[in-house]
Amino acid sequence: MNTNTEFDQVVAKARQIFVLKMKDYGPSWRIMRPQTVNDQLFIKAKRIREIEMTGENLVGESVEGEMYAIFNYAIIGLIQLREGFSDDIDMTTEQATRLYDTYVSEAKDLMQRKNHDYGEAWREMYASSLTDIILTKINRNKSIAAHNNVTLASEGCEGNYFDMMNYAVFYLIKASETAK
């Protein structure tokens, strides 16, 4: 198991999904305010948790697909946080994809540093714990947004988005290992 290689494989699929959706809709998400991005993340993570808890999937869309969506919406959250949201679609697909690649690189760097310090503890965690941690990060962002993005002691929304990205990757790596 090589986490860097596995990370790259998951991200390649996530990026492919992002690029294809951009071909369908363009960066229509540019109009999303921070709370809307957080709510979009919330419904994805909440659905995963419900399926994990009940064992029922009536919609039929895969849990893994929802986790890829969480990864991509976390990047959208970072873009909206750093660039600000807009009343119009003010960004090209190419610009959005460049920002996507920048934030993936930052997330991978963070993952490597944390994996070093934590000894890849995520490998011994339950996938459902990763879902719960992602939900916690989303709820933290919702609370921070409700306080006009002002924090007193926490790293803020940006750190939570990066953590969501990396926990989503870990979940997807674990899912691919289980499927083998």
Side-chain angles (χ1 to χ4, degrees):
M1 293 178 280
N2 180 311
T3 302
N4 287 326
T5 301
E6 292 169 313
F7 181 97
D8 292 343
Q9 290 169 345
V10 168
V11 168
K13 184 169 181 182
R15 188 181 190 281
Q16 178 184 29
I17 293 166
F18 184 83
V19 168
L20 289 174
K21 291 207 179 225
M22 292 283 283
K23 286 181 181 178
D24 287 346
Y25 322 125
S28 58
W29 42 264
R30 285 292 295 138
I31 67 165
M32 290 177 127
R33 291 172 284 185
Q35 203 61 14
T36 307
V37 175
N38 291 324
D39 282 341
Q40 194 64 28
L41 284 157
F42 177 77
I43 63 173
K44 301 295 184 185
K46 181 71 171 164
R47 179 171 180 267
I48 292 168
R49 182 177 160 117
E50 288 297 318
I51 292 168
E52 289 172 347
M53 292 177 64
T54 65
E56 296 180 16
N57 180 351
L58 301 182
V59 174
E61 294 171 359
S62 74
V63 167
E64 289 81 9
E66 297 288 36
M67 201 54 81
Y68 280 108
I70 287 171
F71 182 88
N72 286 337
Y73 273 112
I75 292 177
I76 289 169
L78 283 167
I79 293 171
Q80 298 299 79
L81 190 66
R82 289 185 177 175
E83 303 294 319
F85 66 90
S86 177
D87 290 332
D88 302 303
I89 301 170
D90 63 347
M91 185 179 288
T92 67
T93 297
E94 294 76 21
Q95 289 169 316
T97 304
R98 275 194 302 276
L99 289 170
Y100 184 99
D101 292 339
T102 297
Y103 299 142
V104 164
S105 178
E106 288 182 41
K108 185 175 183 181
D109 289 344
L110 176 65
M111 180 272 301
Q112 290 170 330
R113 291 191 311 273
K114 285 189 173 186
N115 269 350
H116 173 271
D117 289 356
Y118 289 95
E120 296 202 345
W122 64 270
R123 290 199 182 270
E124 298 175 42
M125 295 172 64
Y126 293 105
S128 59
S129 295
L130 298 170
T131 304
D132 290 349
I133 293 168
I134 290 169
L135 270 166
T136 300
K137 300 285 182 179
I138 294 164
N139 283 323
R140 287 178 182 177
N141 276 5
K142 290 173 74 142
S143 179
I144 292 167
H147 294 102
N148 296 317
N149 291 328
V150 175
T151 59
L152 301 175
S154 75
E155 61 192 339
C157 292
E158 186 171 299
N160 289 322
Y161 286 131
F162 279 116
D163 286 346
M164 284 181 237
M165 290 169 64
N166 285 327
Y167 283 121
V169 168
F170 296 157
Y171 187 103
L172 290 161
I173 290 170
K174 289 177 95 50
S176 72
E177 290 172 350
T178 303
K180 290 179 185 175

